[in-house]
Amino acid sequence: MNIKIDDLNGPEIQALIAEHLRGMSESSPPESIHALDLSGLKKPEITFWSAWEDGELLGCGAVKELDAAHGELKSMRTASRHLRKGVARAILEHIIGEASRRGYSRLSLETGSMEAFFPAQKLYASFGFTECGPFGSYAEDPNSMFMTKELR
């Protein structure tokens, strides 16, 4: 698996982001969707990675720099045909490593609190993320779960 920084211009990644946004719309009420569209992901404070194997897109993930010591995990998505193959685990491990190299002391995330998000919650917990309160510009929301991991 090759994980690389992606400029979000390829049709495969654009289709995966569209799938991600559809999935969020199916699982969460509109006011509780915090997933970013393509223009939101192309901001300078966001680094976006895609994972590939034999020319096929496996998944993606991003980190948004909140400040010099705090990053936010964004847009974690595995392509439907590659679920349960370790793609998300590999991408998350890559992003945590990059966050550490950048000197972040904390990496946080927002995910859904509903059953559809239980696999993601379990993955994050397996990497040492624990529940926390809202961070950044987030507010309390019964449809959101906030998690964080200390990196130092």
Side-chain angles (χ1 to χ4, degrees), residues 23-91:
M24 297 301 101
S25 294
E26 292 167 2
S27 302
S28 302
E31 68 275 8
S32 296
I33 297 173
H34 302 288
L36 299 173
D37 62 13
L38 287 170
S39 64
L41 289 167
K42 289 184 176 185
K43 303 285 184 191
E45 64 273 17
I46 295 179
T47 306
F48 187 90
W49 292 272
S50 56
W52 299 81
E53 191 168 79
D54 299 325
E56 188 170 357
L57 177 63
L58 306 178
C60 62
V63 69
K64 176 180 180 181
E65 185 170 292
L66 300 175
D67 62 44
H70 192 185
E72 178 185 1
L73 188 65
K74 299 293 291 181
S75 300
M76 286 287 296
R77 185 70 176 199
T78 300
S80 299
R81 61 184 292 183
H82 295 289
L83 291 170
R84 289 173 278 295
K85 294 181 181 177
V87 174
R89 182 167 289 282
I91 293 170

Side-chain angles (χ1 to χ4, degrees), residues 133-150:
F135 59 91
S137 62
Y138 291 106
E140 282 291 341
D141 181 345
N143 298 301
S144 290
M145 173 186 275
F146 303 98
M147 301 179 83
T148 195
K149 175 181 176 66
E150 295 289 332

